[in-house]
């Protein structure tokens, strides 16, 4: 891949589009993170993933323990169907937005081949589709196949502001959450309906300075948080 292509890819990986009524929210991403391209391309400046600016330490949300599923190494290019099976995968323990993943429609390495991508701090969930041709991962924790229908009864009332992507009903309970003390619009949150990371996946999102209050519903599939102060359940 040429230097110019690499720079383009990095730009896409650090910008994100906000959906809803077609509005675009400029958001500084995980270090400047979260972006996408291609059929599900996100192009927003929609997200930030700087270290959480919170005082207290909140326990990091984790899914309930269950038997290990198929795994994919955190580094490499994997052909969908032969190297990695379609399905939902999770990677945990990622730091400082060093983890980069990408779903691609071919192996050309061109920016236009990107279907969706992201830079991750904390936990990431990605749904690899059967129509995808390639899944790329760099500096990520091992990817584990997980049951998309998994459910649980999460009891935690505080979640780290840079926890990454939390599965509703497994990692985080529905309810109203508040994050305070956020600075310079570095806090990015998102409610999503699936883990494909396309623009159409976003139900709502925002970059926040000061206090953020978000109601996560039982119909939401995921809640993303990056660069925020810790979230506390208030209702």
């Amino acid at each position: 891949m040429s230097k110019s292509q690499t720079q383009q890819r990095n730009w896409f990986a650090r910008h994100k589009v906000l959906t809803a009524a077609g509005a675009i929210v400029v958001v500084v991403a995980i270090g400047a993170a979260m972006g996408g391209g291609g059929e599900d391309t996100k192009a927003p400046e929609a997200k930030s993933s700087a270290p959480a600016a919170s005082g207290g330490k909140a326990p990091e949300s984790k899914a309930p323990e269950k038997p290990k599923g198929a795994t994919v190494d955190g580094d490499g290019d994997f052909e969908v169907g032969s190297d990695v099976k379609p399905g939902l995968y999770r990677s945990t323990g990622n730091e400082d937005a060093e983890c980069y993943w990408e779903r691609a429609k071919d192996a050309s390495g061109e920016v236009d081949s990107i279907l969706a991508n992201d830079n991750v701090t904390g936990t990431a969930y990605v749904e690899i589709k059967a129509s995808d041709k390639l899944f790329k991962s760099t500096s990520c924790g091992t990817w584990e196949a997980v049951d998309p229908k998994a459910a649980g009864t999460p009891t935690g009332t505080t979640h780290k502001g840079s926890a990454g992507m939390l599965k509703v009903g497994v990692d985080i309970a529905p309810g109203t959450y508040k994050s305070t003390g956020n600075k310079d619009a570095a806090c990015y949150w998102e409610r999503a309906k699936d883990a494909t990371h396309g623009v159409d996946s976003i139900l709502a999102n925002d970059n926040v300075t000061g206090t953020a209050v978000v109601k996560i519903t039982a119909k939401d599939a995921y809640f993303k948080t990056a660069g925020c102060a810790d979230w506390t359940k208030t209702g």
Side-chain angles (χ1 to χ4, degrees):
M1 181 185 295
S2 69
K3 181 177 180 181
S4 62
Q5 289 174 323
T6 300
Q7 291 174 333
Q8 283 181 304
R9 182 183 300 281
N10 289 340
W11 186 92
F12 273 90
R14 289 179 167 79
H15 296 76
K16 176 180 188 112
V17 174
L18 193 170
T19 65
I24 296 180
V25 171
V26 177
V27 182
V28 183
I30 295 190
M34 259 190 202
E39 67 177 26
D40 292 334
T41 301
K42 318 172 195 177
E45 291 187 327
K47 157 174 179 181
S48 155
S49 124
S54 160
K57 291 184 178 179
E60 185 168 359
S61 304
K62 292 184 179 180
E65 290 293 332
K66 43 181 163 309
K68 292 286 185 180
T71 59
V72 178
D73 194 78
D75 288 283
D77 295 352
F78 307 94
E79 290 188 283
V80 177
S82 57
D83 300 324
V84 59
K85 301 301 181 185
L88 180 65
Y89 291 81
R90 178 184 62 210
S91 174
T92 62
N94 299 294
E95 300 180 353
D96 303 324
E98 292 181 354
C99 165
Y100 172 81
W101 65 261
E102 177 184 312
R103 292 172 48 228
K105 62 183 180 182
D106 58 47
S108 68
E110 302 286 343
V111 171
D112 289 344
S113 71
I114 300 174
L115 297 171
N117 64 358
D118 200 4
N119 285 88
V120 179
T121 295
T123 297
Y125 284 88
V126 179
E127 181 183 344
I128 299 175
K129 295 184 174 182
S131 56
D132 296 351
K133 299 303 181 183
L134 205 66
F135 177 68
K136 300 185 178 184
S137 179
T138 303
S139 300
C140 299
T142 299
W143 294 91
E144 178 192 353
V146 294
D147 182 359
K149 296 181 180 180
T153 53
T155 58
T157 57
T158 305
H159 299 274
K160 292 176 77 81
S162 287
M165 193 169 180
L166 305 175
K167 197 171 192 302
V168 178
V170 176
D171 305 312
I172 188 170
T176 300
Y177 291 81
K178 179 184 290 186
S179 172
T180 61
N182 298 294
K183 298 179 180 180
D184 303 323
C187 168
Y188 173 81
W189 65 261
E190 177 185 314
R191 292 170 46 231
K193 65 181 181 181
D194 58 44
T196 61
H197 297 268
V199 172
D200 291 341
S201 299
I202 302 173
L203 296 172
N205 67 355
D206 200 5
N207 274 86
V208 180
T209 296
T211 298
V213 179
V214 180
K215 183 176 182 180
I216 300 171
T217 75
K219 292 183 179 181
D220 296 349
Y222 299 92
F223 177 67
K224 296 182 183 181
T225 173
C228 300
D230 293 344
W231 295 89
T232 300
K233 194 170 188 290
T234 61

